[in-house]
């Protein structure tokens, strides 16, 4: 659970966490809840999200690093990034419902953590796809922050990739949205 930021769903935990052969994710989450280490909260749409105090999450993250070692932590972060980016892309790109946007907002910190990890591992395409999936919720709330993140990832991007071109278009649209008196045409 330490890999998640600002909560998670049962589905995300089942995708990301390896509970071992003798346990299920549900059993693991129930054990953590019974020890008051996590809290399950039902959102406005009836979905259960689990939360952990940030200090407990940081402690757990340090413990995971020691238990799994560098390779295990890298694999855990890779599973988290792969799962969160795929989920965000499917939700943010293909589901225009209000409920989908609410779920995307609730997991935005997880998607951003996946974006950052992907970018740090050289997966520019994955990082950009995650940022583009968040466009629908961040373009109106925090366009500057989204644009800055896109800028950082684009510095490492190949020039002719379709995702890169789309990210540049979004970046310029965000610039125009936040600077209506300025014309900015450095699209490519």
């Amino acid at each position: 659970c330490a890999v998640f930021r600002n909560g998670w769903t049962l589905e995300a935990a089942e995708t990301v966490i390896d509970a071992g052969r003798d346990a299920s994710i549900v059993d693991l989450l129930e054990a953590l809840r019974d020890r008051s280490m996590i809290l399950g909260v039902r959102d406005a749409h009836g979905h259960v999200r689990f939360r952990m105090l940030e200090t407990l999450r940081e402690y757990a993250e340090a413990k995971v690093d020691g238990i799994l070692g560098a390779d295990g932590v890298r694999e855990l972060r890779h599973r988290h990034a792969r799962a969160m980016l795929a989920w965000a892309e499917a939700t943010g790109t293909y589901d225009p419902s209000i409920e989908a946007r609410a779920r995307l907002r609730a997991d935005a910190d997880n998607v951003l953590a996946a974006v950052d990890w992907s970018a740090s591992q050289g997966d520019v395409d994955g990082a950009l796809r995650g940022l583009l999936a968040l466009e629908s919720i961040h373009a109106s709330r925090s366009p500057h922050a989204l644009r800055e993140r896109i800028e950082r990832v684009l510095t490492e991007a190949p020039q002719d990739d379709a995702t890169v071109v789309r990210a540049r278009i979004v970046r310029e649209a965000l610039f125009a949205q936040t600077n209506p008196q300025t014309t900015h045409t450095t699209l490519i």
Side-chain angles (χ1 to χ4, degrees):
C1 300
V3 73
F4 293 106
R5 303 293 187 267
N6 198 24
W8 65 93
T9 63
L10 174 60
E11 294 79 16
E14 288 173 332
T15 303
V16 174
I17 299 170
D18 179 10
R21 291 182 297 227
D22 300 331
S24 73
I25 294 299
V26 172
D27 293 339
L28 173 67
L29 293 175
E30 284 178 353
L32 290 171
R33 190 190 64 211
D34 291 346
R35 290 177 179 83
S36 299
M37 296 179 79
I38 65 171
L39 178 65
V41 178
R42 197 168 296 279
D43 69 14
H45 301 284
H47 298 110
V48 175
R49 288 191 58 79
F50 296 94
R51 297 197 180 278
M52 177 184 286
L53 286 175
E54 183 61 16
T55 51
L56 283 176
R57 193 200 64 74
E58 290 171 358
Y59 177 77
E61 189 173 45
K63 286 295 195 186
V64 166
D65 290 350
I67 293 168
L68 296 180
D71 290 339
V73 169
R74 192 172 14 268
E75 175 58 29
L76 177 64
R77 293 199 189 293
H78 178 72
R79 282 194 316 264
H80 177 260
R82 190 175 57 230
M84 295 312 302
L85 294 176
W87 174 83
E89 190 170 30
T91 303
T93 306
Y94 303 111
D95 188 347
S97 70
I98 292 171
E99 183 179 339
R101 298 295 177 246
R103 288 193 324 264
L104 199 54
R105 271 191 295 282
D107 266 317
D109 289 341
N110 279 310
V111 176
L112 290 173
V115 163
D116 292 344
W117 190 87
S118 295
S120 76
Q121 300 301 302
D123 181 8
V124 172
D125 184 64
L128 287 174
R129 285 185 297 111
L131 288 170
L132 292 172
L134 293 175
E135 176 193 2
S136 64
I137 64 167
H138 280 286
S140 61
R141 283 187 16 201
S142 53
H144 290 294
L146 181 60
R147 185 172 189 272
E148 287 174 10
R149 280 183 179 266
I150 290 173
E151 284 287 337
R152 282 197 308 265
V153 175
L154 282 175
T155 61
E156 304 298 322
Q159 297 301 310
D160 58 349
D161 183 78
T163 304
V164 171
V165 172
R166 183 168 169 238
R168 287 191 174 118
I169 292 168
V170 168
R171 175 193 65 191
E172 295 309 313
L174 291 169
F175 183 86
Q177 176 185 342
T178 57
N179 301 290
Q181 280 72 27
T182 308
T183 41
H184 193 231
T185 58
T186 57
L187 192 56
I188 304 215

